[in-house]
Amino acid sequence: MKLKQLSLNNFRCLENKKIEFDPDFNLIYGKNGQGKTSLIEAVYFLATGKSFRTKKVKELTSYDKIRTIVYGSFESKLSGKTIAIDFNNDKKEYYVDKNKTKYIDYVGILNVISFIPEDIEIIIGNPSVRRGFFNYEISQTKNIYLKTLVDFEKILKTRNKLIKERKTNKELYHIYNEKFIEEGSKIILMRKEYVKNISRLLNLNYRKLFDANSELRLKYDSFIDNIDKMTLEEIKEKFREETVKKHDREKRYGYTLVGPQKEDFVFELNGKNAKAFSSQGEKKSIIFSLKIAEIDMLIKEKNEIPVFLIDDISSYFDEIRKNSILNYFKNKNIQCFITSTEKLDIEGKKIYIDKGRILSDE
Ligand SMILES: Nc1ncnc2c1ncn2[C@@H]1O[C@H](COP(=O)(O)OP(=O)(O)OP(=O)(O)O)[C@@H](O)[C@H]1O
Ligand SMILES: [Mg+2]
């Protein structure tokens, strides 16, 4: 996929402007605090309706304004499309080719993968960070995952409510409990398959780009033991057993104690948990390999090459690694947006940002 154009209206500190992009490389450079990260954040927002650096999307709207609009046009394998988000006073409206669209059908149309300094949280943060990350990534490759997850979360909420109100002997609870097991098991199966595939790619990339002698794995820490070879039916059966086992405790605590909302993912470098044992540089390399593996997954599942965003490239890599990484993107024909405080010597479009003003030099 190639993002051809972006239009901004009241996005953070950036001026309202239409910007054209290079199909291969776009370097966004300028001094600290001028709006470089904001520009790639706008691309990310256009694709996902979210920010990569805050949960509070309201912060994206320029100070003193209430409405933000981003609009973009891109080329993909099949066709060209225009997409837009109109974000007005907490309400987001999504448009594809000028038609209003539900979020669930909007997300995944333009695929982006971002690599930002804060991504280190995927390793060092708590399990909910990893669940959030993988939920989003699996959704990008499998729309059905997102639909199942949305259903599951609604069911979980009701199940919690019924437990809290001490209604677990009621017919309604049993109906919800069955649905909970059914949808939860589907999530577990999809997570398990995803982790299996991505772990292999992760290891290949890490060895190719960073250290040929290392072994990197992603492990799925499910609340069900030994799920590697289990079928959906077997997962359901185990899941049911767990709910029975925990039933009395759940009644005492007043909420759900089992399920995919309690799981985790573990990165293991040479057999050791990266969160506890890997160095800063190793952690950055793990995350980068992960992001590259996401590209491979998207190509495999959707036959589409995503757009790649790298924030603050110099803070990650030395000169040699930087060049080998840029070559990697070039060979794979991946459109890149890279921010840097230096005007790097690379081919492509160079966009200079100064106090929110967006200036191209050609
Ligand atoms: N909603 C907003 N409206 C207006 N300005 C904002 C808003 N949110 C943040 N800013 C300001 O935008 C400026 C640019 O932020 P940004 O993170 O994009 O800079 P940057 O060029 O990436 O800097 P650095 O090189 O330090 O990473 C900051 O000074 C910030 O205070
Ligand atoms: Mg920045």
Side-chain angles (χ1 to χ4, degrees):
M1 290 179 168
K2 309 273 184 174
L3 182 64
K4 293 197 305 188
Q5 199 187 69
L6 177 72
S7 270
L8 298 173
N9 205 282
N10 297 342
F11 195 92
R12 290 216 190 249
C13 65
L14 299 172
E15 64 175 325
N16 294 345
K17 189 163 178 158
K18 192 194 274 181
I19 317 150
E20 310 274 340
F21 297 117
D22 184 88
D24 300 318
F25 277 115
N26 295 277
L27 173 73
I28 296 139
Y29 70 104
K31 300 199 185 77
N32 290 133
Q34 304 300 308
K36 303 180 298 296
T37 303
S38 303
L39 183 54
I40 60 167
E41 188 184 32
V43 175
Y44 190 90
F45 180 66
L46 174 72
T48 65
K50 294 180 165 56
S51 162
F52 51 47
R53 58 175 165 178
T54 176
K55 280 203 158 58
K56 300 180 198 137
V57 274
K58 246 192 144 126
E59 291 172 7
L60 303 183
T61 301
S62 309
Y63 303 147
D64 308 325
K65 298 282 195 285
I66 52 162
R67 184 179 186 187
T68 295
I69 301 171
V70 290
Y71 164 96
S73 72
F74 68 94
E75 292 285 351
S76 68
K77 276 236 166 62
L78 299 173
S79 62
K81 274 197 166 57
T82 63
I83 52 175
I85 303 179
D86 182 347
F87 177 37
N88 192 350
N89 248 341
D90 268 340
K91 210 168 138 263
K92 275 183 259 173
E93 286 180 351
Y94 298 90
Y95 294 86
V96 178
D97 290 334
K98 304 222 162 81
N99 301 312
K100 203 166 153 186
T101 307
K102 282 193 295 204
Y103 176 69
I104 207 154
D105 299 316
Y106 180 92
V107 65
I109 288 190
L110 171 64
N111 296 119
V112 298
I113 292 175
S114 63
F115 183 56
I116 61 168
E118 291 84 344
D119 282 336
I120 206 79
E121 279 294 313
I122 298 167
I123 296 179
I124 65 175
N126 60 36
S128 73
V129 177
R130 281 179 290 284
R131 279 197 303 274
F133 173 77
F134 286 109
N135 280 342
Y136 177 72
E137 293 302 327
I138 305 171
S139 302
Q140 278 222 343
T141 55
K142 269 191 172 37
N143 211 257
I144 182 77
Y145 183 83
L146 180 62
K147 291 196 166 80
T148 313
L149 194 67
V150 171
D151 286 346
F152 175 80
E153 275 164 5
K154 279 189 209 145
I155 296 163
L156 174 64
K157 233 180 178 169
T158 310
R159 189 179 189 270
N160 278 335
K161 194 163 164 270
L162 292 169
I163 297 174
K164 197 167 176 197
E165 292 168 355
R166 301 178 183 282
K167 290 182 179 156
T168 55
N169 53 354
K170 296 275 189 319
E171 173 73 16
L172 189 64
Y173 171 79
H174 293 290
I175 294 170
Y176 269 93
N177 191 46
E178 274 313 302
K179 283 194 197 167
F180 174 70
I181 293 168
E182 178 86 32
E183 298 307 305
S185 298
K186 287 187 206 160
I187 290 172
I188 294 166
L189 185 76
M190 286 189 269
R191 281 183 180 171
K192 164 179 101 114
E193 281 169 2
Y194 184 87
V195 168
K196 195 170 99 195
N197 291 329
I198 201 115
S199 180
R200 195 180 57 81
L201 295 168
L202 188 62
N203 190 35
L204 286 176
N205 288 324
Y206 191 85
R207 291 162 69 107
K208 190 166 61 195
L209 286 163
F210 301 109
D211 182 5
N213 297 317
S214 277
E215 194 71 38
L216 175 62
R217 288 200 188 298
L218 177 67
K219 289 201 166 157
Y220 177 25
D221 184 10
S222 174
F223 72 100
I224 296 176
D225 293 334
N226 306 318
I227 61 159
D228 275 5
K229 296 204 166 61
M230 282 190 194
T231 61
L232 183 63
E233 284 312 310
E234 288 165 338
I235 292 172
K236 266 194 231 170
E237 202 177 302
K238 269 275 166 204
F239 198 149
R240 185 166 291 111
E241 276 175 28
E242 290 295 319
T243 56
V244 173
K245 251 195 253 168
K246 296 269 166 66
H247 192 58
D248 286 338
R249 284 240 315 258
E250 288 189 329
K251 284 199 284 191
R252 258 183 286 132
Y253 282 67
Y255 62 90
T256 301
L257 294 173
V258 288
Q261 77 287 1
K262 298 261 170 221
E263 299 184 316
D264 199 1
F265 302 82
V266 182
F267 294 90
E268 273 187 15
L269 186 61
N270 300 319
K272 296 259 187 281
N273 187 341
K275 180 173 180 167
F277 296 106
S278 292
S279 74
Q280 288 286 89
E282 284 167 341
K283 286 189 189 108
K284 287 179 186 173
S285 303
I286 291 171
I287 297 294
F288 191 76
S289 308
L290 175 67
K291 301 286 171 143
I292 300 289
E294 304 291 340
I295 299 178
D296 297 331
M297 287 293 277
L298 273 167
I299 295 173
K300 185 166 159 268
E301 298 279 338
K302 289 182 123 182
N303 200 23
E304 283 287 2
I305 303 175
V307 172
F308 204 84
L309 314 173
I310 305 182
D311 191 28
D312 211 355
I313 190 160
S314 306
S315 74
Y316 290 105
F317 302 117
D318 55 32
E319 210 55 39
I320 300 165
R321 286 214 168 135
K322 208 152 60 195
N323 288 332
S324 83
I325 282 160
L326 295 178
N327 268 328
Y328 176 88
F329 289 117
K330 196 171 181 172
N331 291 335
K332 289 216 158 181
N333 190 23
I334 297 168
Q335 187 186 29
C336 272
F337 293 79
I338 296 168
T339 75
S340 171
T341 46
E342 312 275 313
K343 186 177 182 181
L344 303 173
D345 183 22
I346 53 173
E347 271 174 54
K349 179 150 181 165
K350 297 193 173 85
I351 298 166
Y352 179 67
I353 304 211
D354 180 46
K355 295 195 197 73
R357 289 201 56 209
I358 303 165
L359 307 151
S360 312
D361 51 56
E362 268 143 318

